[in-house]
């Protein structure tokens, strides 16, 4: 597994070259029934997440894609990430905040060009920047809370692949 660089990584990725066929790897994951994990397969994709008992708001899930290199080797691509619904909601909120910031910035510029007061617009823009920072730090906090489960998922796939 390639080590991740020490920088901000939103959705950590990795890849492994496995000296066995794609079908053997896929069947290993399909046959595995380990207690805290729910495993779903869709073609060459494996989705691993935590069951309801272990799941919390910031629980990560692991998406694996297995590609065939040749007849005897395959490559596993993995992406750790939050629940897709949570990820989409978070990105939507960021998009709304950015869009509002641009709209209010244009409004402030237009007011300044017309020699009108624009203090309210500047105040709204400051509030939007504060909201963006709150979202950023909430995401970082959630990532920290999900890190132990990320390690559980990583240990799980290592156990399945070496079994």
């Amino acid at each position: 597994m390639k080590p991740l660089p020490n920088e901000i990584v939103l959705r950590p990725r990795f890849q492994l070259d496995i000296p066995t066929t794609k079908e053997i790897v896929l069947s290993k994951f399909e046959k595995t029934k380990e207690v805290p994990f729910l495993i779903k397969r869709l073609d060459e994709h494996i989705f691993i997440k935590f069951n309801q008992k272990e799941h919390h708001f910031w629980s990560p899930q692991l998406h694996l894609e297995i590609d065939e290199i040749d007849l005897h080797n395959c490559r596993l691509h993995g992406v750790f990430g939050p629940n897709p619904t949570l990820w989409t909601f978070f990105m939507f909120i960021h998009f709304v905040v950015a869009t509002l910031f641009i709209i209010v910035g244009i409004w402030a510029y237009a007011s300044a060009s017309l020699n009108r007061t624009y203090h309210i617009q500047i105040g709204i823009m400051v509030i939007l920047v504060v909201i963006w920072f709150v979202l950023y730090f909430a995401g970082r906090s959630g990532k920290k809370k999900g890190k132990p489960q990320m390690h559980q998922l990583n240990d799980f796939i290592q156990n399945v692949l070496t079994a």
Side-chain angles (χ1 to χ4, degrees), residues 17-33:
D17 288 332
I18 303 169
T20 187
T21 65
K22 174 175 76 171
E23 288 306 319
I24 291 173
V25 173
L26 289 169
S27 67
K28 279 184 177 183
F29 280 104
E30 275 187 319
K31 292 176 185 174
T32 303
K33 302 285 187 219

Side-chain angles (χ1 to χ4, degrees), residues 18-81:
I18 303 169
T20 187
T21 65
K22 174 175 76 171
E23 288 306 319
I24 291 173
V25 173
L26 289 169
S27 67
K28 279 184 177 183
F29 280 104
E30 275 187 319
K31 292 176 185 174
T32 303
K33 302 285 187 219
E34 199 157 319
V35 172
F37 302 107
L38 297 174
I39 302 167
K40 293 184 182 176
R41 177 184 173 188
L42 182 63
D43 297 329
E44 287 85 30
H45 299 269
I46 304 282
F47 298 93
I48 306 169
K49 55 186 177 180
F50 287 88
N51 63 19
Q52 280 303 113
K53 186 179 177 189
E54 297 289 323
H55 186 268
H56 58 78
F57 187 72
W58 297 104
S59 285
Q61 73 175 27
L62 178 58
H63 171 216
L64 302 174
E65 181 179 358
I66 294 98
D67 292 330
E68 192 170 39
I69 297 174
D70 56 34
L71 292 175
H72 306 290
N73 296 300
C74 66
R75 180 169 291 143
L76 184 140
H77 299 274
V79 180
F80 290 100

Side-chain angles (χ1 to χ4, degrees), residues 20 28 42 67 88 96 99-100 106 119 151 153:
T20 187
K28 279 184 177 183
L42 182 63
D67 292 330
T88 304
V96 167
T99 302
L100 287 174
I106 292 169
H119 301 296
H151 289 293
L153 286 166

